[in-house]
Amino acid sequence: MQLENRNIVKCILLTLVTCGIYGIVWGVKLARDAVKVKDVNDDGLVEILLVLFLPFVGFFLAERKLNEGCQACGIEHKDNSVLYLVLGILGLGIVDYCLMQSDLNKIADAGYVFAAAPAGAPYAPEAPVAPAQEVPFENVEEKTEE
């Protein structure tokens, strides 16, 4: 899975023109993408529902997962989860959207691709690879002694 690079100004304008409807779609996409950096197999349902009904909590949790995923993959990223929580409580949720999209755009611009683990295999993120390649997951078989 490769992250989509979205133009922040375009997203803000679409949100204004559609009276906030695109903002809902954008928030869902942000939460899903942030969660997928940590675990491609995670659908991010909890974060998406929270972004819809309690945006400041949803963005807080999505940012925590984004930060954990970046650390696991060796991507440089600063944890802004508390900032997202405070801005959301103060009614500046659009700033949360912009900051998270900026972070996701940096990852997308670097060309990181995240691959899903095979069915039944535990997710173990490896270092992301160059564009147009997927992160390899090897079948781990336990060796038995005879």
Side-chain angles (χ1 to χ4, degrees):
M1 180 201 96
Q2 187 167 3
L3 299 177
E4 182 181 344
N5 189 334
R6 294 182 189 90
N7 185 321
I8 296 172
V9 175
K10 179 180 170 185
C11 291
I12 292 171
L13 290 175
L14 282 171
T15 300
L16 293 173
V17 168
T18 62
C19 299
I21 294 172
Y22 185 76
I24 295 169
V25 173
W26 187 23
V28 168
K29 289 180 179 183
L30 287 172
R32 186 175 356 112
D33 287 350
V35 169
K36 296 275 184 197
V37 170
K38 180 179 180 195
D39 184 357
V40 178
N41 296 322
D42 187 355
D43 60 2
L45 184 60
V46 171
E47 288 77 15
I48 290 171
L49 289 174
L50 286 170
V51 163
L52 293 174
F53 297 107
L54 291 171
F56 54 94
V57 177
F59 276 105
F60 173 81
L61 292 177
E63 172 64 16
R64 296 292 294 240
K65 285 193 176 180
L66 175 63
N67 187 49
E68 290 171 10
C70 286
Q71 287 179 353
C73 294
I75 302 170
E76 188 174 323
H77 179 263
K78 181 182 177 206
D79 185 8
N80 294 319
S81 56
V82 175
L83 176 64
Y84 288 177
L85 186 63
V86 171
L87 288 172
I89 290 172
L90 294 176
L92 299 171
I94 192 71
V95 178
D96 289 349
Y97 283 60
C98 296
L99 291 173
M100 184 170 281
Q101 186 63 62
S102 175
D103 289 343
L104 291 171
N105 284 348
K106 288 176 188 173
I107 296 170
D109 287 342
Y112 292 111
V113 177
F114 305 92
Y123 180 74
E126 297 181 15
V129 295
Q133 297 177 354
E134 291 192 352
V135 176
F137 282 91
E138 300 174 4
N139 292 333
V140 178
E141 297 179 11
E142 294 182 22
K143 295 183 180 180
T144 57
E145 295 182 23
E146 296 179 4

